Amino acid sequence: MDGAKNSTRCLTLLSQLLLGLDRSGDSDSRAPRRDCMDAITATIASFGPPDFGELWGLAASHHVIMRAFPELHRVMVAQANQWSEAVERAMEKERARIEHALSFLSPICEALSDAGKVIVIKSLDHWRDLGSDLDLYSSGASADVTAIMRDRFKARLEERSWGDRLANKWNFVVPGLPELVEVHVGRLGQTGEQVTVTNSLVRRAGTAQLGGYTFPVPAPEERLIISTLQRMYRHFYLRLCDVVDTARLVESGAIDYAYLNSLGRSAGLWDGLATYLVTVSGYVKSYRGDDLPLPSPVMDAARFGSELVSYRRKFLRIPIFPQAAKLYASEWTRLLLNGELQSTLRLSLLPPLAAAAALEFKFTGTDKGIW
């Protein structure tokens, strides 16, 4: 089977497992659920070993193994599928990875709190899954952060790219921990342009109990802002975990949209944030039949939706020109009008950095030295 076609089948199956079956309610919602289950069952029955290998790799890249595979395994067991044990082993392996990572993350958070406020960002949003890196924000001084990681955990500092230096972030290799520990110090954003968000992040952070540990985590509004920064202003693609995480956060009713609007506008990110939410809503609708319950100010501010998202190179791609470029321009303009000259200057370096990264990738196959 053609690789791209097979990858698309795997994405569809994962989306059905995560979204098509994630419904509760009246009789109107049960018919699409039955149709979705029939499609899932037929697809799984047609899969062979290469297909399951592709599915596992895609689920790992999208951080959804622990949420998609239990239902996958249940269907396979019902079919007496010979590969059900392999799926079960994959879940056990991922569960062990997560437990191991959390056993490091908890003491790292505790130690870094000596340098200032520390908050786990992005990585725990995917629970019961976990990100591929352990991402933290620290309000402390960078010298204190690096000293704590070096002295208490024998961590080695990864070589920093130009983008890392602008963003004011450090990546640490901790002995015994496969995941990198990425610490953003005092700033957020692709070029470290966001300080408005960090002030709010520190002031409003809460805690979450996960895997037997208690972690400091962002409030729902800052969590959405950080997701938007990562997806709409940095990577320009969505993972399925982003869709599922955001959908569940919206449906939880925990979001203060008035505050989200105020924070997003003051940071120059409101248009991108609204676009992110509407894009996620559109993708959810394609599997559930219903949009997410977003308020009208969000819908009105969105520049585009899921109709412009395409599946390429394993991810759901956001169009860069002119759509994402316009979001960048809006952020730059707002920071300038706010009088945040240092942040504006930092963000002004993004286009030449992006051009350098594209050139580096063309000639070497990697842009690691740039980003």
Side-chain angles (χ1 to χ4, degrees), residues 135-202:
D135 292 276
L136 305 172
Y137 171 81
S138 173
S139 66
S142 57
D144 294 335
V145 168
T146 54
I148 289 171
M149 292 300 295
R150 181 185 64 244
D151 297 341
R152 302 193 199 180
F153 300 98
K154 309 304 179 187
R156 172 175 58 83
L157 182 63
E158 281 269 274
E159 184 177 352
R160 300 175 73 206
S161 66
W162 297 350
D164 291 340
R165 294 176 187 277
L166 271 178
N168 222 39
K169 68 180 180 181
W170 280 257
N171 287 292
F172 298 95
V173 179
V174 178
L177 178 64
E179 294 79 12
L180 285 176
V181 177
E182 182 174 285
V183 185
H184 299 250
V185 181
R187 291 180 173 272
L188 289 172
Q190 176 72 357
T191 60
E193 75 277 5
Q194 285 296 339
V195 291
T196 299
V197 174
T198 60
N199 292 336
S200 182
L201 173 67
V202 169

Side-chain angles (χ1 to χ4, degrees), residues 233-278:
Y233 294 85
R234 175 173 167 78
H235 292 304
F236 308 113
Y237 65 75
L238 301 180
R239 289 186 169 106
L240 287 179
C241 62
D242 302 310
V243 175
V244 176
D245 301 342
T246 303
R248 292 183 178 176
L249 188 59
V250 169
E251 291 170 332
S252 73
I255 301 169
D256 182 341
Y257 285 101
Y259 184 79
L260 186 65
N261 185 311
S262 175
L263 178 61
R265 289 187 183 280
S266 64
L269 301 173
W270 176 243
D271 289 355
L273 174 59
T275 302
Y276 173 72
L277 288 170
V278 169

Side-chain angles (χ1 to χ4, degrees), residues 34-57:
R34 286 196 299 270
D35 290 347
C36 186
M37 180 56 77
D38 290 343
I40 289 170
T41 301
T43 299
I44 294 173
S46 70
F47 269 24
D51 303 299
F52 286 116
E54 175 80 23
L55 186 70
W56 180 86

Side-chain angles (χ1 to χ4, degrees), residues 318-338:
I318 302 295
I320 298 178
F321 295 106
Q323 288 83 5
K326 289 181 178 179
L327 297 178
Y328 159 82
S330 295
E331 182 188 10
W332 186 90
T333 301
R334 172 45 55 192
L335 293 177
L336 181 63
L337 292 174
N338 288 349

Side-chain angles (χ1 to χ4, degrees), residues 38-312:
D38 290 343
I40 289 170
T41 301
T43 299
I44 294 173
S46 70
F47 269 24
D51 303 299
F52 286 116
E54 175 80 23
L55 186 70
W56 180 86
L58 194 66
S61 296
H62 285 253
H63 308 324
V64 294
I65 289 176
M66 297 308 298
R67 288 173 287 180
F69 276 28
E71 184 63 31
L72 171 70
H73 182 257
R74 190 192 69 78
V75 174
M76 294 176 71
V77 169
Q79 293 177 340
N81 191 299
Q82 62 179 318
W83 304 108
S84 62
E85 290 185 3
V87 171
E88 187 174 18
R89 287 194 298 271
M91 288 191 291
E92 291 173 354
K93 181 179 178 180
E94 183 66 3
R95 186 179 296 109
R97 179 189 78 86
I98 292 170
E99 290 174 356
H100 183 71
L102 294 186
S103 72
F104 277 78
L105 181 59
S106 181
I108 287 173
C109 288
E110 184 176 352
L112 289 179
S113 66
D114 291 345
K117 185 79 170 184
V118 62
I119 303 162
V120 184
I121 58 174
K122 299 182 287 187
S123 300
L124 297 176
D125 293 355
H126 318 314
W127 191 258
R128 301 182 307 273
D129 291 281
L130 185 74
S132 53
D133 295 333
L134 302 180
D135 292 276
L136 305 172
Y137 171 81
S138 173
S139 66
S142 57
D144 294 335
V145 168
T146 54
I148 289 171
M149 292 300 295
R150 181 185 64 244
D151 297 341
R152 302 193 199 180
F153 300 98
K154 309 304 179 187
R156 172 175 58 83
L157 182 63
E158 281 269 274
E159 184 177 352
R160 300 175 73 206
S161 66
W162 297 350
D164 291 340
R165 294 176 187 277
L166 271 178
N168 222 39
K169 68 180 180 181
W170 280 257
N171 287 292
F172 298 95
V173 179
V174 178
L177 178 64
E179 294 79 12
L180 285 176
V181 177
E182 182 174 285
V183 185
H184 299 250
V185 181
R187 291 180 173 272
L188 289 172
Q190 176 72 357
T191 60
E193 75 277 5
Q194 285 296 339
V195 291
T196 299
V197 174
T198 60
N199 292 336
S200 182
L201 173 67
V202 169
R203 187 175 68 253
R204 304 177 70 248
T207 59
Q209 292 185 338
L210 303 171
Y213 301 94
T214 300
F215 296 103
V217 295
E221 296 75 24
E222 284 75 22
R223 178 176 155 184
L224 284 176
I225 290 281
I226 292 170
S227 295
T228 298
L229 277 170
Q230 185 181 30
R231 295 298 155 210
M232 309 300 290
Y233 294 85
R234 175 173 167 78
H235 292 304
F236 308 113
Y237 65 75
L238 301 180
R239 289 186 169 106
L240 287 179
C241 62
D242 302 310
V243 175
V244 176
D245 301 342
T246 303
R248 292 183 178 176
L249 188 59
V250 169
E251 291 170 332
S252 73
I255 301 169
D256 182 341
Y257 285 101
Y259 184 79
L260 186 65
N261 185 311
S262 175
L263 178 61
R265 289 187 183 280
S266 64
L269 301 173
W270 176 243
D271 289 355
L273 174 59
T275 302
Y276 173 72
L277 288 170
V278 169
T279 298
V280 167
S281 178
Y283 193 84
V284 169
K285 183 179 181 179
S286 66
Y287 286 93
R288 290 189 189 167
D290 297 317
D291 287 306
L292 295 177
L294 298 173
S296 56
V298 172
M299 304 293 292
D300 294 342
R303 298 288 187 90
F304 58 89
S306 60
E307 74 279 356
L308 295 185
V309 172
S310 60
Y311 180 60
R312 292 180 290 109

